Amino acid sequence: MSAPSRPVSGGLLDPKQLVASLPDAVRKLDPRGMVRNPVMFVVEVGALLTTAFAIRSPSVFAWVITVWLWLTVLFAALSEAVAEGRGKAQAETLRRTKTATTARRLVDWRPGAATGASEEVPEEEVPAAELRLGDHVVVEAGQIIPGDGDVVEGVASVDESAITGESAPVIRESGGDRSAVTGGTKVLSDRIVVKITSRPGETFIDRMIALVEGAARQKTPNEIALNILLASLTIVFLLAVVTLQPFALYARAEQSIVVLAALVVALIPTTIGALLSAIGIAGMDRLVQRNVLALSGRAVEAAGDVNTLLLDKTGTITFGNRQAAEFLPVGGTPVEELADAAQLSSLADETPEGRSVVVLAKETYGLRARDEGELGEAQFVPFTAQTRMSGVNIGGRQVRKGAASAVADWVAGHGGRSGTDARTVVDRISQEGGTPLVVAERDGDQQRGAARVLGVIHLKDVVKHGMRERFEELRRMGIRTVMITGDNPLTARAIADEAGVDDFLAEATPEDKMALIRREQANGKLVAMTGDGTNDAPALAQADVGVAMNTGTSAAKEAGNMVDLDSDPTKLIEIVEIGKQLLITRGALTTFSIANDVAKYFAIIPAMFAVVYPGLEKLNVMRLHSPTSAIASAIIFNALIIVALIPLALRGVRYRPSSAAGLLGRNLRIYGLGGLVLPFLGIKLIDLVVQFIPGLR
Amino acid sequence: MSGTLAGWLQILALVAALALSYRPLGDAIAHVLTTPRHLRVERLVYRLVGVNGDADQRWSAYLRGVLAFSAVSVLFLYGFLRLQNLLPLSLGRPPMPADQSFNTAASFVTNTNWQSYAGESTLGHLVQMAGLAVQNFVSAAVGISVVAALIRGFTRKETDRVGNFWVDLTRITLRILLPLAFVFAIVLVAGGVIQNLHGAESIPTIAGGHQSLTGGPVASQEVIKELGTNGGGFYNANSSHPFENPNAFTNWLEIYLLLAIAFALPRTFGRMAGDHRQGYAIVAVMALIWAASVAIVTVDELHSVSSRAGHAAGAMTEGKEQRFGVWASALFAASTTLTSTGAIDSAHDSYSPFGGGMTIFNMMLGEIAPGGTGSGLYGILVLAVIAVFVAGLMVGRTPEYLGKKLRGREMKFASLYILTTPTVVLAGAALAMARPGERAGMLNPGPHGFSEVLYAFTSAGNNNGSAFAGLSVDTTWYNTALGLAMLFGRFLPMVFILALAGSLAGQAPVPVTAGTLPTHRPLFVGLLTGVVLIVVGLTYFPALSLGPLAEGLQ
């Protein structure tokens, strides 16, 4: 799990990437592709017009504007190419795993039929690309699994590093929740029979390649809505400029096509228009970098809108197993003695609970874990389901720890009596949702001495560090968290209170989960959840954002709209942040883009008309050198700001979880006010330089 | 009492009166729009029209109602004007020419009330009362009906019904406009506005000449002219005529009347949305822009003296009535251009370049502060949708306004809405400026002449109806072009508003959380004001720079 409140960020922009992406960018200048982006299409048409004009009646000014209009289009294409380029490298690695795998297809395989050495099940070698749905293939150690599927026979350790980047092998076995295998991964040991569940060309790896390359990219709902707004702003400003010519003619200030094109380009929202698709690609890429595969951009946006997070307790909120939290001595036993006994009784206990007792004894009371050799003739008593106790006999001394009733029986059976104070402690821990382990001892020096209870170990689910703060943050963002657990309501409440979640669903069945999701959605809320089991699949499909764990079944992966390759349920929170960041980046750059217009007006309008109406020179508040240098400066600023903002578009606007009002205030200050002021400075600075270009006066 | 003190008192009294009527008037309209009860007379109307008053309509049916009713109104009014010589009380006036009749019919049905004729010398009393005044009522009611449908789009959930046009139209007319008009007509009569059926009377003047004065049912026309933000005067001189607007009190009252409903509608919005703070935020934006505009026009008229007459008087008094003075005239001018009323009590053509430019800019803002009856609120709500969209993205969620998500469909209609008026205004003005014959209609050279043409199309496209004067517009071309500009500027936006209403009504609302963009705080008020000024204002900046700005920055 990442540290709480780590800001979402992406990789940095490498200048080499810019150069490497240039050829792709040039290819993107094709008007047939450009027409999908109305803003940049208008710029390209403007550039074509000014080129024609500059060729017919060349001037330094006309050529400067022409070149910079072309650069504006190029920079827009470049931003997209760079964003795509980052996925390309990843796609290349993935593609390598795909090359020419052959599959050993089993002809007429039936469950239970002996395979392999037996000749009853003939097999044939076919290229992986020819596998069909429902085919059965056999894969042995050292071979590559030819396609996505479920293990239907056998168990094997599989190296999935090609997909997850995680080198530790994982176990895949038939039946249960660990049966899914992915094409392109490698079997390290044993042999398995896999039933193919995906068509060639539609495998997980194929989809991954398409995703990271951006080939499968479709515009998301918010992107479409924003595009509509940008298109209409473009039309409005186009209209404002086209109708200007008759007015200008009347004022005897006819404008050249170069100036009009420059005015249009300066006014239409080129900054956001140029960066819009790069922002979308980069948003998906940020997820990929966190090893999350979103199967649609729509899901990423939905993540930003989520109102309710359903989080599994185990593994997400808690570490997933109970740990010793406290030693509670009874009957006047010193706590050190209890800790010592507890540690002795747990030395041979390899369960996580047992190890946590040793850790607690060491951390709290400085008791070093002793080797078995140090203890002389120590005889360890392992835990069994019958005795429900474990312990150790050292010489005549017997130490036991275990379930309260089992230890009480043992104590009673050895002439001792467990006092009421022990029972009180046990009951209290149970009520708090913890698990009590009672420690008892029988002294060996007096062979017939009675056993006595030393105290109780308090085992409990330990909430991961920082979760409380995380949920605080989510609450500030307006997101409600619901903990899902199979525990009884008592235990669930205790953990829920400790972790600070808003609500919990105890003794949850898949049906309960489904009902909860439906209930939330009926109230207009968007729900996100994680899951891995086949019984999670319906809920994953119903949730607006369903993140399937890569370790999960193929049914779960099919049902969800994201797959987390690290299988880390906590990542849901990061996914929400990335979704929000994506939208914020678009909104912020739109605001910036529109606010920019004010300064450009002050640069261009006096430049156009101060000749006929000298009073308009008062609008030249930036004191720009000359009309031509003013227009050129505005256009150059307009183009350069695109390049300057590419890193921001790729990285995303800095996002810190806070309330909507706080976010709006902050972003309005930076991108609204900044967008208003910055171009005044930028255009003035550029003007100070371009005025020295001969021919621009 | 000094002019300054009187000016301040008028403004403060106006603000106080508007604040006082905000709640009762807004609540009353909300009640009328939501109660299930019909009055007996209303049932009669529904039976006559043949509609079921209890059945709500889809947005498309609602729109068909609006368009059909308006089309019939245009045809009826056109026929009325063409045949007025055959009707009683015609005062012997000949029929109006075809192009002018079209222009006038379009003008009154669209709540514009652009007048290319002089009322007292062109029209008989029956046309004024049964033709124009009726449209003054119903065109205002149509505007309120359409915004009612939009509000229902926000407040209803998962339905395709946005209300019943015929019910809204009838109720607004009968329960709101008629009673108010009746009461205030009497107040106006008490204030000295005439109300009779006299024809032209010849009166000997002090200087020994003769003057022909036409009487008429003025007070009854006057009250709905202001209340319904119509603005079409009984007399050519409009509210600067002493029979329409005899003194400072009636002048003040007329300003109040033309602002009252538009400023109270945000209350209706807040009440129907179940959150009065939403209404306060909208009215705050309206008030902010209105106050700024009043301040700019007043200061300009008092201090940026540019004409020779102005220098002599120490303020821009040319074209202003002595009985009102600069303060009241500026207040009237700013209010009438910000409300799509278009009544005038002074000649905007004679204003200082910036003061006059401000009246153009006021209209260019799209008649939203507070705008026309109904049209003002739906105009600002569309801009709020745009503002919420951009701001909503900035808080990292799919933007939502009053719990309704703003997605592609909603943005399409909102975008088309904000596209329409600038297209009509700029294309119309550009066409006029490209035609030598139409350019000749300007009475002034240079940038001021251009301002006159720009003003005419801005006024028509935004359904304001006020005239800068100084442009001869009674030509076939101007009558036709401006008539079309009024029709397009009125009904295309209504199509998009109702489509937006339908789209919103179909949605299930999203619950409000801490992650929801608050649309009732000062921050949002500031944002919306910024969007209005930048998105709408910037569209016209190049055109303005060649007119008022070029003139004012000499």
Side-chain angles (χ1 to χ4, degrees), chain A residues 219-559:
Chain A
K219 284 196 177 133
T220 55
N222 278 314
E223 206 178 345
I224 292 170
L226 181 55
N227 240 321
I228 290 171
L229 178 66
L230 295 181
S232 80
L233 287 177
T234 305
I235 297 171
V236 166
F237 285 121
L238 201 56
L239 193 88
V241 175
V242 169
T243 55
L244 189 58
Q245 187 72 320
F247 307 160
L249 275 170
Y250 166 75
R252 293 192 197 79
E254 188 185 357
Q255 298 298 316
S256 72
I257 199 89
V258 175
V259 172
L260 291 177
L263 182 59
V264 169
V265 171
L267 295 183
I268 62 177
T270 46
T271 315
I272 179 67
L275 297 172
L276 190 55
S277 72
I279 294 170
I281 298 168
M284 296 286 269
D285 191 53
R286 272 199 294 283
L287 277 178
V288 172
Q289 284 173 10
R290 275 170 189 69
N291 266 349
V292 176
L293 278 192
L295 303 182
S296 75
R298 194 179 277 264
V300 185
E301 274 192 3
D305 286 347
V306 159
N307 303 89
T308 309
L309 281 187
L310 304 190
L311 297 172
D312 279 326
K313 183 200 77 176
T314 309
T316 311
I317 296 172
T318 65
F319 284 106
N321 42 49
R322 297 175 164 235
Q323 298 188 351
E326 218 180 341
F327 295 123
L328 299 162
V330 296
T333 315
V335 68
E336 289 79 12
E337 193 186 335
L338 171 63
D340 181 69
Q343 187 220 40
L344 279 178
S345 67
S346 305
L347 284 176
D349 186 348
E350 281 304 314
T351 62
E353 287 87 349
R355 262 177 288 159
S356 76
V357 172
V358 178
V359 169
L360 182 69
K362 183 179 175 190
E363 284 180 353
T364 322
Y365 302 99
L367 297 174
R368 193 171 50 82
R370 284 155 289 195
D371 288 330
E372 291 179 25
E374 286 176 55
L375 297 170
E377 309 161 37
Q379 183 200 350
F380 289 98
V381 182
F383 177 88
T384 67
Q386 282 77 39
T387 61
R388 295 189 291 144
M389 284 191 306
S390 63
V392 62
N393 298 336
I394 306 167
R397 186 178 172 210
Q398 297 178 315
V399 184
R400 293 290 181 276
K401 83 162 197 290
S405 57
V407 176
D409 289 347
W410 182 80
V411 170
H414 290 82
R417 217 164 52 83
S418 35
T420 48
D421 48 352
R423 199 162 309 134
T424 318
V425 173
V426 164
D427 288 348
R428 186 174 54 84
I429 292 174
S430 299
Q431 262 166 24
E432 286 171 6
T435 307
L437 284 184
V438 179
V439 181
E441 181 192 56
R442 186 169 176 234
D443 207 326
D445 290 345
Q446 306 155 6
Q447 268 297 317
R448 309 197 64 80
R452 63 191 178 103
V453 174
L454 297 176
V456 185
I457 306 170
H458 184 174
L459 287 183
K460 64 177 186 180
D461 253 351
V462 178
V463 172
K464 286 182 178 176
H465 180 70
M467 288 315 278
R468 208 182 170 82
E469 292 74 22
R470 214 86 203 262
F471 295 136
E472 264 323 299
E473 267 174 22
L474 288 169
R475 207 165 298 126
R476 277 202 301 276
M477 290 153 63
I479 296 173
R480 216 166 67 93
T481 42
V482 180
M483 182 181 86
I484 308 287
T485 171
D487 292 342
N488 62 56
L490 211 62
T491 315
R493 174 171 300 284
I495 306 277
D497 285 347
E498 194 185 338
V501 294
D502 298 292
D503 203 355
F504 63 88
L505 183 67
E507 289 168 352
T509 62
E511 291 76 30
D512 292 341
K513 244 194 222 186
M514 192 71 176
L516 176 66
I517 295 175
R518 289 236 170 88
R519 206 159 54 237
E520 293 284 313
Q521 287 175 336
N523 292 326
K525 294 181 180 171
L526 263 60
V527 182
M529 67 169 285
T530 59
D532 52 5
T534 298
N535 57 14
D536 284 331
L540 278 172
Q542 178 74 30
D544 301 280
V545 178
V547 183
M549 300 293 104
N550 191 46
T551 51
T553 60
S554 44
K557 285 203 254 179
E558 253 338 289

Side-chain angles (χ1 to χ4, degrees), chain A residues 42-196:
Chain A
V42 168
V43 180
E44 191 167 28
V45 171
L48 280 170
L49 286 175
T50 55
T51 310
F53 182 90
I55 291 171
R56 226 161 31 117
S57 40
S59 70
V60 174
F61 172 68
W63 278 112
V64 166
I65 297 296
T66 303
V67 166
W68 280 96
L69 289 190
W70 279 115
L71 283 176
T72 309
V73 194
L74 185 69
F75 291 157
L78 192 62
S79 75
E80 197 179 308
V82 169
E84 287 174 355
R86 305 212 299 180
K88 285 224 170 88
Q90 212 158 357
E92 222 32 65
T93 332
L94 286 170
R95 223 175 244 128
R96 249 174 269 142
T97 66
K98 269 192 63 173
T99 45
T101 315
T102 49
R104 291 163 60 193
R105 180 158 65 188
L106 298 173
V107 182
D108 202 20
W109 181 86
R110 279 181 315 281
T115 53
S118 146
E119 277 126 58
E120 285 165 46
V121 181
E123 56 175 70
E124 54 187 9
E125 294 240 332
V126 293
E130 284 177 22
L131 287 174
R132 293 287 168 268
L133 271 184
D135 280 354
H136 290 86
V137 294
V138 61
V139 193
E140 282 182 329
Q143 293 177 334
I144 302 282
I145 298 173
D148 296 356
D150 286 327
V151 180
V152 288
E153 191 176 285
V155 50
S157 62
V158 179
D159 172 12
E160 295 193 337
S161 60
I163 296 174
T164 61
E166 172 62 55
S167 55
V170 292
I171 301 295
R172 293 283 177 251
E173 60 191 347
S174 62
D177 286 349
R178 291 189 298 172
S179 63
V181 287
T182 311
T185 56
K186 189 175 178 183
V187 173
L188 293 180
S189 70
D190 305 286
R191 82 193 288 283
I192 44 176
V193 175
V194 174
K195 182 182 177 191
I196 298 298

